[in-house]
């Protein structure tokens, strides 16, 4: 009796193994990790938007104060009025560095804001700008 070799190399098994190696997609753990990453990114962005909105308000208030004021106390008072209207908490009029360049008032400021992430980890934004 002759032994046939058709059982050893079954023609249907090879294409199934090749198809399985070509499959693409995320595993369940990959899906969970991707979801955690997306939620963390949205949380950080959600907390960062108010920081940048406040920066824009500070910039606008400093520009207005530099245009309106002619002395250091006037510039600081003008900034404090705008800060009260726009709810600016990070910079006060007393924090401004007011100088004069070529007969123009220049208002400079620098400050930092922290966003707590997890445990001892913080995201720190540092801003430094001046009017032109």
């Amino acid at each position: 009796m002759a032994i046939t070799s058709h059982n050893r190399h079954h023609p249907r098994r090879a294409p199934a193994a090749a198809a399985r190696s070509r499959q693409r997609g995320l595993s369940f753990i990959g899906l969970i990790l991707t979801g955690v990453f997306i939620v963390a990114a949205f949380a950080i962005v959600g907390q960062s938007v108010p920081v940048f909105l406040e920066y824009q308000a500070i910039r606008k208030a400093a520009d207005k104060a530099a245009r309106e004021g002619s002395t250091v106390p006037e510039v600081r008072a003008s900034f404090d009025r705008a800060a009260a209207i726009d709810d600016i908490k990070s910079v006060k009029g007393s924090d401004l560095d007011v100088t004069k360049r070529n007969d123009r008032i220049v208002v400079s400021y620098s400050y930092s804001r922290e966003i707590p992430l997890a445990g001892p980890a913080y995201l720190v934004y540092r801003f430094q700008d001046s009017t032109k």
Side-chain angles (χ1 to χ4, degrees):
M1 186 176 243
I3 298 178
T4 59
S5 63
H6 73 283
N7 285 340
R8 224 172 20 172
H9 299 291
H10 196 274
R12 290 187 182 164
R13 287 187 185 164
R20 191 174 302 127
S21 67
R22 285 183 272 146
Q23 287 181 350
R24 304 220 186 260
L26 289 174
S27 65
F28 181 69
I29 293 173
L31 182 66
I32 296 296
L33 291 176
T34 302
V36 167
F37 177 77
I38 289 171
V39 167
F42 274 113
I44 291 171
V45 168
Q47 291 181 353
S48 296
V49 167
V51 172
F52 286 104
L53 290 176
E54 183 183 43
Y55 170 69
Q56 292 298 323
I58 290 170
R59 196 170 175 185
K60 185 175 122 185
D63 286 339
K64 182 179 178 187
R67 281 192 319 268
E68 290 179 353
S70 59
T71 65
V72 173
E74 287 176 3
V75 170
R76 290 182 174 165
S78 176
F79 182 85
D80 284 335
R81 282 191 301 273
I85 293 168
D86 290 334
D87 197 32
I88 296 172
K89 304 277 190 230
S90 297
V91 178
K92 298 175 189 160
S94 59
D95 298 331
L96 301 177
D97 184 25
V98 182
T99 58
K100 201 169 198 180
R101 274 190 232 150
N102 300 332
D103 291 335
R104 291 194 66 176
I105 302 255
V106 177
V107 178
S108 302
Y109 53 90
S110 64
Y111 67 99
S112 63
R113 287 281 306 264
E114 294 179 349
I115 295 175
L117 296 177
Y122 287 87
L123 178 61
V124 179
Y125 290 105
R126 291 193 176 131
F127 298 98
Q128 184 175 2
D129 201 2
S130 66
T131 61
K132 293 175 176 50

